[in-house]
Amino acid sequence: MRISELSRRSGVPVATIKYYLREGLLPKGEATSSTQAVYGETHLRRLRLVRALVEVADAPLAKVRAALEAIDDPDTDVHTLLGSAQHTFHPDVPEPGTDDPGVRDAEERTDALLAELGWRLIPHSPFKSELTRAIAAMGRLGRPVTDEMLRTYAAAARTVAEQDVRALDPAGSREDMVEYAVVVSAVMERALTALRLLAQEDASARLFDRGRCPEKRPPGTRE
Amino acid sequence: MRISELSRRSGVPVATIKYYLREGLLPKGEATSSTQAVYGETHLRRLRLVRALVEVADAPLAKVRAALEAIDDPDTDVHTLLGSAQHTFHPDVPEPGTDDPGVRDAEERTDALLAELGWRLIPHSPFKSELTRAIAAMGRLGRPVTDEMLRTYAAAARTVAEQDVRALDPAGSREDMVEYAVVVSAVMERALTALRLLAQEDASARLFDRGRCPEKRPPGTRE
């Protein structure tokens, strides 16, 4: 297909495709003249992935290149690929320092929670540090997180993550799987945040606004 | 107490307290001389709330003032207070335009989901628009969200939100409740995001890395 059709089928403007070609994020097409080239399905797949990494995950070009190299390296298995894709759209934050006793405590609680859950994780995940940071922040703000709260959050996160992974097509190409992982992680994170705030509004309405329709208050909204 | 003790007990630096006093976010203390004043428990509560709104929720000063006015107005009930507190830390984004058929479809799906859930919500919640926007983005990226996925996310969000509201102390002051709502919404959102990414890593490890410990793969990770 010509670049115009590649643009139509991918939804990516021609000027953006040319930019990706110049940056080496998309391999050149097969030249049919000095000014024209044709592209195939592999270009379309790669283009969709690059767009997901650049536009949805807002990843810097160096990280996009590293993700593409991993895909093109047949020695990299799919699980490792998916993991490195997740890390492309998270800023490199240093692990929290341990001179603060609040952070040390939070780190111990994170480790204890993850050990209890038995999750199989890489040793120095940035998301583990992020969890530690949130637990430490709650303590610093005088609102220490209870174990019950952490367990409830972890169970909800697991339900959602299993749904995410279940929707992955194991027969798809490597690009397709990585693109799916990036898109669903980034975009559905916004959906989950919005749904939580909506559900908080509903839970608060049922707790405080009992006069209006008391029969609708389900058990468990108060202790 | 003197301003130094107010600083120590709240964890807010003296210079920041003076800034809040100048901006009228914290009422003046009782003057004991021309340069000194004493502060009470009401100042401490108000200070913790202002810090949560400014530092944790990153709310602009105009929204902080509006939240404080609502707290001081005895006609504003707690449910309304909590709702307006949530809105302080979300940017005012316009409702998505409906000239795009993808957005119209997403809007219908959002409405259908929330009707099915029976949640009690204000009519034009910004979080509803945010959910619509995420559903539309998935469609535009060629990864339409299934009803199953939306229901799973909503159920997880509800579990977490009920935990959030359960931890609220209904005997607390209005400031305490609003401060709690802001802190838990903002900080635990980061915890939930981190836990979801960790849980995705675990789910992917169980799906793709079966050779290592096949007995650990629970049912339901593949279809």
Side-chain angles (χ1 to χ4, degrees), chain A residues 134-149:
Chain A
I135 294 172
M138 292 296 287
R140 212 165 44 238
L141 291 163
R143 302 288 190 177
V145 189
T146 61
D147 286 338
E148 186 200 359
M149 185 174 250

Side-chain angles (χ1 to χ4, degrees), chain A residues 79 86 122 153 164 200 204, chain B residues 79 86 153 164 200-201 204:
Chain A
H79 171 60
Q86 302 299 62
I122 59 168
Y153 271 70
D164 293 338
Q200 283 178 346
S204 161
Chain B
H79 172 60
Q86 301 301 59
Y153 271 69
D164 294 339
Q200 283 178 347
E201 191 179 322
S204 162

Side-chain angles (χ1 to χ4, degrees), chain A residues 17 25 38 44 47 64 143 148 169 182-183 201:
Chain A
I17 296 176
L25 302 177
V38 289
L44 185 60
L47 182 55
V64 175
R143 302 288 190 177
E148 186 200 359
D169 175 13
V182 169
V183 165
E201 191 179 323

Side-chain angles (χ1 to χ4, degrees), chain B residues 103-176:
Chain B
V103 173
R104 264 204 311 277
D105 285 356
E107 211 153 34
E108 275 166 30
R109 293 194 63 198
T110 299
D111 287 339
L113 175 72
L114 296 176
E116 179 185 307
L117 293 164
W119 290 356
R120 291 170 59 180
L121 304 169
I122 58 168
H124 294 284
S125 166
F127 311 128
K128 213 176 113 178
S129 305
E130 183 65 18
L131 177 58
T132 296
R133 221 172 266 117
I135 295 173
M138 292 295 287
R140 213 164 40 237
L141 291 162
R143 301 289 189 178
V145 190
T146 61
D147 286 337
E148 185 199 0
M149 185 174 250
L150 281 181
R151 287 194 189 108
T152 304
Y153 271 69
R158 174 174 229 157
T159 307
V160 162
E162 285 182 349
Q163 172 70 52
D164 294 339
V165 168
R166 200 152 53 228
L168 191 74
D169 176 11
S173 68
R174 290 157 71 93
E175 271 101 344
D176 279 351

Side-chain angles (χ1 to χ4, degrees), chain B residues 15 31 39 42-43 64 78 107 115 174 207:
Chain B
Y39 302 88
T42 55
H43 289 94
V64 176
V78 175
E107 211 153 34
R174 290 157 71 93
L207 179 63

